[in-house]
Amino acid sequence: MDYIGKKCPVCDKYFHAYDDIVVCPECGTPSHRECYQSIGKCINADKHAQGYDYQKDMKSSFSDDETGTVCKKCGTKNPENAFFCNKCGSTLNEPQFNSTQNVYGQPYQQTQNNQTPNNTQFPQGANVIMFDPLAGVSPNTDLGDGVTVGETAKFVKQSTPYFITVFNNIKNFSKSRFNFCAMFFSGGYLLFRKMYKIGAFITAIQAAMIILDLYLSYFINSSSVYSKFFEALYSYDSNAAMLHLSQLPQKELSMLGLYYAISALMLIMSIVIGACANRMYFNHCKKQIIKIKNETDDPTKLDEALRKKGSVNFPLAISLWITYLVISYLPLLFY
C-alpha cells in the first residue's frame, strides 16, 4: 500500500517517498522505523484485542474541513487546484486544456475564423500548455538569507523553471542536479552565468591544460619513437604494447605519462564542475541579490537592477567558443 501523504501516528508527520516505514503485522498500522523503535511496539497495540484494522479505520491526511493535494515527494499540503508543490516544485497534476479553453479552463468566446478576442488563433484539437516560470513555487518563498524566489527568477532570467526547482531542492532537501552544460563547457559556462571570478580562474587553468595537452599530442604524434607502441595498442595487443612501453626512453615515457595524466585530470575537473555548478550558482545568486538589494535605495528600481546585473553573458560565451576553436585547430598548421 502507498502511505505517501499519510501521517505517522507516532510523530504525526507525513510519510515521504524516501522514508523507512514499518507496518504492524497484526493491524497494518504504518509508522517510521525510528518511531516504532522509540516506543517499542505498535502504537495501536492496545486495540489489537478488539480486532483493530488500520486499513478500515485509515483516515485522510487532511481534516474534514480541509481539502488539498499532498506532494508525494515531500508530503507538503497544497491547494486542491495546484499544479506544482509549493515547497519542492514537483508536479502535482498534469493540466491539459483544449483549443476552446484558456489557461484557467474557461471557454474562449470565439469569433469568426476560430479566433479568440485577442486575435490569437488556435488550430482545432490543439492543446494549450500552461507554462510557469517559477515551476509552481510561490514567488514569496524564501531561499535563504531573505532572498525570495521572485527576486531570484528576475536575476537568473534564463531557464528560470529549471533553476528555481534546483534551488528550492537545495534549500529544502540539500539535493542538487548534475549540470551537463557545466560539465561540457566548464569555466566557459561559469563565465556565461556571470560567475566571473571562479569562472576566470577555472578557464585559465583549463586553457593552460588544453594548450599543454595539444603540445604533448603534437610531440607524441610527430615522434616515431611511439609508433610501435601505438600500433600494438590499437591492435589490442597488450603484451606487445607493454613491451614497447618499457623500451621507451625516460623522457618520452614521462611525456606520455604526462599526456594521459592531463587528459584524465581534465575529465575529472569537468565532472566535478558539473556536479557542483548548480550549488555554486545558487550561492552566487543569493550573494549578488543581497548585494543589489543593499545598494538599491529605491525599491521601484530593484527589479530593473536585478535583471540588468543578472541574466547571462552571450557575447563572452561566443568569444570563448571561438577562442577554443582557434586553439584546438592551431596545431594542425604544424602537422
Side-chain angles (χ1 to χ4, degrees):
M1 180 178 178
D2 186 4
Y3 296 104
I4 298 174
K6 306 302 178 183
K7 285 186 177 181
C8 172
V10 180
C11 65
D12 201 38
K13 294 181 179 179
Y14 286 100
F15 291 121
H16 299 165
Y18 48 81
D19 285 346
D20 186 5
I21 302 174
V22 295
V23 179
C24 175
E26 293 191 38
C27 67
T29 300
S31 59
H32 295 110
R33 185 177 296 275
E34 292 183 357
C35 296
Y36 183 89
Q37 293 175 346
S38 67
I39 61 176
K41 62 179 180 179
C42 172
I43 194 172
N44 293 318
D46 57 338
K47 301 179 182 179
H48 289 175
Q50 290 80 31
Y52 174 79
D53 189 341
Y54 174 82
Q55 299 281 353
K56 295 180 180 179
D57 197 41
M58 184 173 56
K59 296 181 179 179
S60 172
S61 306
F62 306 104
S63 59
D64 294 338
D65 59 346
E66 186 180 21
T67 59
T69 305
V70 175
C71 174
K72 290 193 174 184
K73 182 175 182 180
C74 68
T76 301
K77 293 178 291 185
N78 297 272
E80 190 172 9
N81 60 348
F83 298 118
F84 304 94
C85 176
N86 288 331
K87 183 176 182 180
C88 69
S90 299
T91 303
L92 299 175
N93 299 306
E94 295 289 347
Q96 281 193 338
F97 306 97
N98 58 41
S99 60
T100 61
Q101 292 178 323
N102 60 21
V103 294
Y104 301 103
Q106 300 169 342
Y108 283 115
Q109 295 179 354
Q110 294 184 338
T111 59
Q112 293 181 353
N113 299 324
N114 194 35
Q115 291 183 337
T116 60
N118 61 355
N119 294 326
T120 302
Q121 187 172 5
F122 296 97
Q124 291 290 343
N127 288 331
V128 179
I129 301 176
M130 177 177 287
F131 174 76
D132 187 351
L134 300 184
V137 184
S138 171
N140 297 321
T141 300
D142 187 5
L143 293 177
D145 301 323
V147 176
T148 66
V149 166
E151 294 168 343
T152 305
K154 293 167 186 173
F155 183 83
V156 171
K157 199 171 180 179
Q158 302 289 335
S159 305
T160 54
Y162 170 81
F163 283 110
I164 293 302
T165 301
V166 170
F167 293 169
N168 203 37
N169 285 338
I170 293 175
K171 170 65 168 52
N172 295 318
F173 308 109
S174 296
K175 293 182 179 180
S176 183
R177 290 182 183 177
F178 191 87
N179 193 319
F180 287 96
C181 287
M183 183 189 75
F184 290 122
F185 300 105
S186 302
Y189 177 83
L190 301 181
L191 291 173
F192 171 69
R193 281 287 166 183
K194 293 189 175 182
M195 291 182 275
Y196 293 129
K197 291 184 178 179
I198 184 65
F201 177 72
I202 292 177
T203 299
I205 293 177
Q206 290 185 317
M209 294 173 64
I210 290 173
I211 293 173
L212 183 56
D213 183 74
L214 291 172
Y215 169 77
L216 291 173
S217 177
Y218 168 74
F219 175 82
I220 290 172
N221 289 319
S222 62
S223 176
S224 60
V225 178
Y226 302 97
S227 58
K228 292 183 179 180
F229 166 71
F230 283 114
E231 183 180 347
L233 190 66
Y234 295 148
S235 62
Y236 302 100
D237 190 346
S238 57
N239 293 330
M242 293 302 296
L243 177 62
H244 293 303
L245 185 64
S246 64
Q247 295 175 350
L248 289 175
Q250 184 62 39
K251 178 183 177 181
E252 280 70 16
L253 186 62
S254 299
M255 296 284 278
L256 185 64
L258 182 60
Y259 171 73
Y260 284 117
I262 290 177
S263 299
L265 186 59
M266 290 173 61
L267 176 61
I268 293 172
M269 180 179 290
S270 297
I271 294 174
V272 172
I273 293 173
C276 301
N278 286 336
R279 291 184 183 273
M280 294 165 59
Y281 190 46
F282 179 46
N283 294 328
H284 167 79
C285 289
K286 289 202 301 180
K287 181 179 179 180
Q288 292 300 315
I289 291 172
I290 292 173
K291 182 179 179 181
I292 294 171
K293 290 168 70 175
N294 292 334
E295 294 176 348
T296 305
D297 298 328
D298 188 355
T300 60
K301 297 181 179 180
L302 179 59
D303 290 356
E304 181 182 354
L306 289 171
R307 293 188 176 97
K308 182 178 180 180
K309 296 184 179 181
S311 191
V312 294
N313 193 329
F314 278 109
L316 179 60
I318 295 173
S319 300
L320 288 172
W321 181 248
I322 294 174
T323 302
Y324 173 76
L325 292 177
V326 171
I327 294 176
S328 298
Y329 286 98
L330 189 61
L332 296 178
L333 300 176
F334 301 96
Y335 280 109

